[in-house]
Amino acid sequence: MTWVKKLLQNHRPVAVLMVTILVLTVIPVLDIFLVLGNTWQGFLPTFGDEPFYPALVQSIVKGYTGGNPYFFEHRNDPPLVIFGGVWINAAPQLAGLSYNTAMMVNFILWSLLFAVSLYWLFRELRVRPWVAVFGTTLMYLQMYSHVWRSVNLQPVYPFYFLFYIALVRLIREQSRKNIVFLALATGMAFYLYAYFWQIAVITLGLLFLYALVRKNWPLLKATLLSSLIGGVIGLPVLLYTLWLSYASPYFWESVGRFGLVNTHIPMAEVIYSGGWVGIMIAFLAVLFWRGFQQDREFNFLGLFLVINGLGLWIMQGSNLITGKLLETAEHIRILILPWLLFATVCIGALLWEKRALLSGKLRLFSVIVIGVLSVANVHYTYFYFSPFLTQNVNRGLWQTEQLYVKPFAWLENKEKEPVVVWSNPHDHLTANLPTFTKHFTLYTWGGMFELMPEGEVHERFLVSSYFDNPTIDDLKSSDTMGLYLGRQDFPHKAKTIERGIKVCRILFFWDKNKDCGTPPTPQELLGDQFFIDLENKFQNDIKPNIKEYLKKYHVSYILKDKTLDPQYHPEELGATRVYSDDRYEIYHL
């Protein structure tokens, strides 16, 4: 054990960091104990919007293609979007672990990898070990909810940090090893997160332009080689998307449900969160011109932060050029804010070490700016971490979720092969059923975000709403529209027009007679006839032919929540009650 002791002594900051992260991974378990106590029945409660991503993982675990995890008829469809994290997160369950165990194993593993890779990045930029420990821990808390949530960013962060590590190394030394390292990190980005690879491409483009302007030919050549090799590695993802866009007649309407809007007007988020990039770059510029022109360490750090900060900011507002907005600004926000924290720690640490070189005025200015940035970082850290504070937990939902266990267990034991279960699309239980059982649902909102025709989405929703007997007013309700309309129709088309009106009012503020228009609602954009047609479809087609539609979608069971769905009377359809407890009933068709 002497070598272990020696290793810990030589790498004490890393050891402390790993122990700290391991302790912090206990927070969800502690929350469950404090909120639910002995009432916990084994159902991992919901902290955010987790059900969508674990369902994708279960599609792989069940042996399907990674297509639609909710709808039986589409279980082997090609996935609309490549999420490498789906396959990565499925590995523990494929190895034989239970769902709960696999969730915790993934969370702990990727938390440690998050910390190791970020600490490594800090150290590559010459940040002192204990400062790197502090910065890594703070950023882990800020991104805690995203590290907890499987698939989306949980496995992305370590590779995201590795990309920047490779970038630092290439800027410092254009060796063959560093070229290959950056190429591999760039190539991996294509398979993990669509926004990640686009950020990587823009960042490398900026580095290439910098090298060109500075006539740094070794850096230009190395950047070009890394970009080309990385692009070749990631090319299959681009080819897959291109093939799918031509092979499927439903591709573009499916992407539209994800939120695609054709507009050159960026979202206000480009200012709200992206503005911090501008503030940081302006701060770096002031420091450069007021005393750090000849400081190589500052110039290197400044170059790195400016290039990757601009890469994020340009990507956030990229629809200004491309005309394609796919909730881009909102998704880049969760990468800009950790960049802000990282940049604040790096610059703050460097200025502290070189404080003797600062004039009195520059020192005061730096303290004020770092103070403002620190307050912003603390605010965002609390905002993202707050769902894991027990006082913010949705206790009612958590307690109700524990009641799902019994009906889910009955279905699992009763049916050895996958079946389709009809339950209320408004019910949180419905979205979770495909995650915690082998079975599929007639309809839930998450199913619309895969490859399928728009008409089928609407039809499934109407069939699943049979007992609710929806009217035009019901279909126009904001609470209901989000269940069957994609993000393009609800709310982004209307929001895009509203942004255009706001821009018009700003540009023509001096002209009180200028008519910039009135912001429309999603209901107004769709038009009354859209909702009339839906109601007619329900009343004249689905309602009188409900049994044929249930056969069409292979529905075997109806799961009724006696508290939320008193209007459900499955016996009217000839269904037989086969299960009952204090909250739920299951009927067999």
Side-chain angles (χ1 to χ4, degrees):
M1 296 299 291
T2 305
W3 67 272
V4 176
K5 184 177 180 180
K6 186 176 181 181
L7 182 67
L8 291 176
Q9 288 176 342
N10 292 338
H11 301 281
R12 186 172 297 171
V14 178
V16 170
L17 177 62
M18 293 298 98
V19 171
T20 301
I21 298 301
L22 281 174
V23 170
L24 291 174
T25 60
V26 178
I27 290 174
V29 178
L30 184 62
D31 285 340
I32 293 172
F33 173 77
L34 293 175
V35 175
L36 295 174
N38 294 331
T39 65
W40 186 58
Q41 300 298 311
F43 188 101
L44 283 179
T46 300
F47 288 94
D49 60 350
E50 297 101 311
F52 177 70
Y53 293 103
L56 295 175
V57 174
Q58 296 315 300
S59 177
I60 300 298
V61 173
K62 295 170 186 176
Y64 303 124
T65 59
N68 199 312
Y70 297 101
F71 302 150
F72 180 81
E73 293 79 10
H74 297 282
R75 63 194 183 280
N76 281 314
D77 286 357
L80 179 60
V81 179
I82 296 296
F83 280 123
V86 172
W87 284 270
I88 296 173
N89 278 117
Q93 281 183 266
L94 293 174
L97 297 182
S98 67
Y99 173 80
N100 285 354
T101 304
M103 277 285 289
M104 290 307 300
V105 166
N106 276 323
F107 178 51
I108 294 171
L109 173 63
W110 292 107
S111 293
L112 293 175
L113 291 175
F114 177 103
V116 168
S117 57
L118 180 55
Y119 177 85
W120 183 6
L121 177 57
F122 272 119
R123 295 294 292 131
E124 283 289 338
L125 290 167
R126 307 294 191 256
V127 175
R128 292 184 180 276
W130 290 110
V131 177
V133 169
F134 169 78
T136 300
T137 303
L138 189 59
M139 192 184 296
Y140 177 70
L141 289 174
Q142 186 183 93
M143 294 293 101
Y144 197 89
S145 59
H146 295 290
V147 180
W148 166 255
R149 188 173 64 176
S150 59
V151 174
N152 191 12
L153 284 174
Q154 185 186 74
V156 169
Y157 278 124
F159 292 98
Y160 179 63
F161 299 144
L162 279 177
F163 170 75
Y164 285 134
I165 291 168
L167 193 70
V168 170
R169 290 195 159 198
L170 187 81
I171 295 173
R172 184 174 286 126
E173 180 186 356
Q174 294 82 53
S175 66
R176 181 179 299 177
K177 180 174 68 174
N178 290 340
I179 291 172
V180 172
F181 184 16
L182 182 56
L184 291 174
T186 303
M188 284 299 299
F190 287 82
Y191 296 89
L192 289 167
Y193 194 48
Y195 298 105
F196 178 14
W197 73 256
Q198 293 174 75
I199 291 168
V201 169
I202 293 172
T203 302
L204 289 173
L206 291 172
L207 183 60
F208 180 87
L209 291 175
Y210 167 80
L212 181 64
V213 170
R214 299 289 294 178
K215 296 182 180 181
N216 188 335
W217 308 126
L219 180 59
L220 184 144
K221 179 181 177 181
T223 303
L224 183 60
L225 282 174
S226 293
S227 302
L228 291 175
I229 297 171
V232 170
I233 295 171
L235 185 61
V237 174
L238 301 181
L239 293 177
Y240 171 81
T241 303
L242 181 63
W243 166 78
L244 195 61
S245 68
Y246 284 99
S248 173
Y250 316 122
F251 176 80
W252 288 109
E253 61 187 65
S254 299
V255 174
R257 291 194 297 273
F258 251 117
L260 178 66
V261 179
N262 296 319
T263 176
H264 289 279
I265 303 176
M267 300 179 74
E269 193 62 46
V270 173
I271 298 174
Y272 295 153
S273 59
W276 290 109
V277 177
I279 292 172
M280 179 61 74
I281 291 176
F283 180 43
L284 292 171
V286 170
L287 292 175
F288 177 80
W289 292 112
R290 294 299 299 270
F292 283 94
Q293 295 98 325
Q294 306 303 319
D295 191 296
R296 294 183 60 185
E297 190 177 358
F298 173 85
N299 289 335
F300 183 87
L301 175 60
L303 171 64
F304 173 75
L305 293 178
V306 168
I307 286 177
N308 58 54
L310 282 176
L312 289 165
W313 204 7
I314 291 171
M315 179 59 202
Q316 192 177 41
S318 58
N319 71 291
L320 182 66
I321 299 171
T322 66
K324 302 293 183 182
L325 180 63
L326 190 58
E327 297 189 345
T328 311
E330 295 170 340
H331 285 83
I332 303 305
R333 179 183 199 264
I334 55 179
L335 294 175
I336 283 181
L337 295 180
W339 173 89
L340 175 66
L341 193 157
F342 175 82
T344 303
V345 171
C346 288
I347 291 296
L350 182 65
L351 290 177
W352 174 257
E353 291 184 2
K354 297 181 180 294
R355 60 191 181 279
L357 303 177
L358 301 176
S359 65
K361 291 183 178 179
L362 188 58
R363 186 181 302 178
L364 177 61
F365 172 74
S366 299
V367 168
I368 292 173
V369 174
I370 292 295
V372 170
L373 295 175
S374 298
V375 170
N377 285 315
V378 171
H379 166 74
Y380 291 125
T381 299
Y382 175 80
F383 176 81
Y384 282 108
F385 182 72
S386 60
F388 291 84
L389 300 175
T390 54
Q391 64 266 30
N392 295 330
V393 164
N394 187 337
R395 293 172 181 263
L397 174 62
W398 279 29
Q399 291 165 356
T400 301
E401 285 176 329
Q402 302 313 307
L403 304 179
Y404 302 167
V405 173
K406 289 182 179 180
F408 284 176
W410 187 90
L411 286 166
E412 282 292 88
N413 294 328
K414 178 66 177 180
E415 295 290 343
K416 303 306 178 186
E417 296 298 324
V419 298
V420 178
V421 180
W422 171 13
S423 52
N424 193 328
H426 293 266
D427 198 332
H428 186 66
L429 169 144
T430 306
N432 280 282
L433 187 141
T435 299
F436 291 92
T437 74
K438 68 173 80 70
H439 306 302
F440 295 85
T441 183
L442 170 60
Y443 185 76
T444 187
W445 65 273
M448 77 168 81
F449 298 113
E450 291 297 334
L451 195 66
M452 61 185 299
E454 192 90 345
E456 183 181 338
V457 173
H458 299 162
E459 185 176 274
R460 281 179 174 272
F461 171 76
L462 292 173
V463 173
S464 68
S465 301
Y466 171 80
F467 291 113
D468 296 321
N469 197 33
T471 64
I472 291 177
D473 289 339
D474 294 329
L475 294 169
K476 282 186 173 182
S477 166
S478 296
D479 292 336
T480 300
M481 288 176 67
L483 293 177
Y484 69 91
L485 292 177
R487 302 283 292 163
Q488 183 184 83
D489 289 321
F490 187 77
H492 290 312
K493 274 187 178 179
K495 289 291 185 182
T496 297
I497 296 173
E498 183 181 343
R499 281 196 297 274
I501 292 172
K502 289 180 178 178
V503 170
C504 173
R505 289 172 179 171
I506 292 172
L507 293 177
F508 294 94
F509 70 93
W510 49 269
D511 186 356
K512 301 300 182 181
N513 296 319
K514 176 68 175 178
D515 184 12
C516 292
T518 302
T521 65
Q523 292 88 339
E524 290 171 341
L525 286 181
L526 288 166
D528 288 338
Q529 192 60 47
F530 173 81
F531 299 99
I532 291 171
D533 290 343
L534 283 180
E535 188 194 39
N536 287 337
K537 169 77 172 176
F538 177 77
Q539 294 293 344
N540 301 325
D541 182 11
I542 291 174
K543 191 173 181 178
N545 300 296
I546 184 63
K547 291 186 178 180
E548 284 72 19
Y549 277 103
L550 295 179
K551 289 179 181 178
K552 176 182 178 179
Y553 293 121
H554 305 92
V555 178
S556 298
Y557 290 94
I558 302 174
L559 176 52
K560 174 183 176 179
D561 185 324
K562 291 188 288 186
T563 301
L564 297 180
D565 309 322
Q567 76 281 17
Y568 272 45
H569 297 288
E571 62 276 5
E572 294 178 358
L573 299 176
T576 304
R577 189 172 65 180
V578 292
Y579 171 85
S580 180
D581 61 31
D582 292 339
R583 181 69 181 258
Y584 297 101
E585 293 177 343
I586 299 177
Y587 290 79
H588 185 258
L589 285 166

